[in-house]
Amino acid sequence: MSLNVRFESWADFAKDLKVPGDSTVAQNRMKSNLRFWLWNYLSIEALFVLIMCYFYRWLFVVLAVVGGTGAALFYVRTDSLKIGNTVVNNTHKQIALVAELLLGLWLTETTTALAVGLAFGTVLVLAHAAAKSEPSVAAKVKKTASNAFNDTDIKSKLSH
């Protein structure tokens, strides 16, 4: 499983913020910016969740247990699991992780803390996405080319 994580420049992230003229402009900017700045936005969401984890320590414990379980199921043990005569596939693993997360949030009463952290982060992300001018065509081409160059499947095909 390959995950191409690429943060765009934080200096560029903070430039060119303008209030959109109308809702159509805001929607177009949001569509373009949410795609282009994806990993920057996800890191902002993660920061708000970590802030909530500081104030609600049980939330950190729940997320750490679910994260550890997910890492064990998807990255450490990549071969298929077999319980009795049933083969456990990725869908079963994902359902188990969601159940574990929901149970942990319910038992520790930290659901509200997680929701508040995500809500604050989402409001900030959407406000930035609407206010940030759309990335230039050159920046989009550069990102696409960089992603293609770093893609291991393409590298292996080009080397043969």
Side-chain angles (χ1 to χ4, degrees), residues 24-36:
T24 306
V25 172
Q27 288 176 351
N28 290 338
R29 285 182 183 179
M30 289 170 78
K31 286 178 187 175
S32 179
N33 285 330
L34 287 173
R35 242 180 274 121
F36 188 80

Side-chain angles (χ1 to χ4, degrees), residues 45-60:
E45 288 286 350
L47 177 66
F48 276 93
V49 171
L50 285 174
I51 289 169
M52 295 311 288
C53 286
Y54 176 76
F55 293 109
Y56 298 90
R57 305 290 164 88
W58 280 110
L59 178 60
F60 176 77

Side-chain angles (χ1 to χ4, degrees), residues 23-87:
S23 63
T24 306
V25 172
Q27 288 176 351
N28 290 338
R29 285 182 183 179
M30 289 170 78
K31 286 178 187 175
S32 179
N33 285 330
L34 287 173
R35 242 180 274 121
F36 188 80
W37 301 99
L38 174 68
W39 290 102
N40 298 68
Y41 288 142
L42 287 175
S43 66
I44 290 170
E45 288 286 350
L47 177 66
F48 276 93
V49 171
L50 285 174
I51 289 169
M52 295 311 288
C53 286
Y54 176 76
F55 293 109
Y56 298 90
R57 305 290 164 88
W58 280 110
L59 178 60
F60 176 77
V61 171
V62 169
L63 294 178
V65 168
V66 171
T69 305
L73 288 175
F74 288 101
Y75 296 106
V76 175
R77 183 177 178 131
T78 56
D79 57 331
S80 61
L81 294 170
K82 192 169 183 181
I83 299 174
N85 292 330
T86 305
V87 175

Side-chain angles (χ1 to χ4, degrees), residues 4 9 12 18 36 49 52 123 136-137:
N4 188 7
S9 165
D12 293 340
K18 300 173 193 137
F36 188 80
V49 171
M52 295 311 288
V123 167
S136 66
V137 173

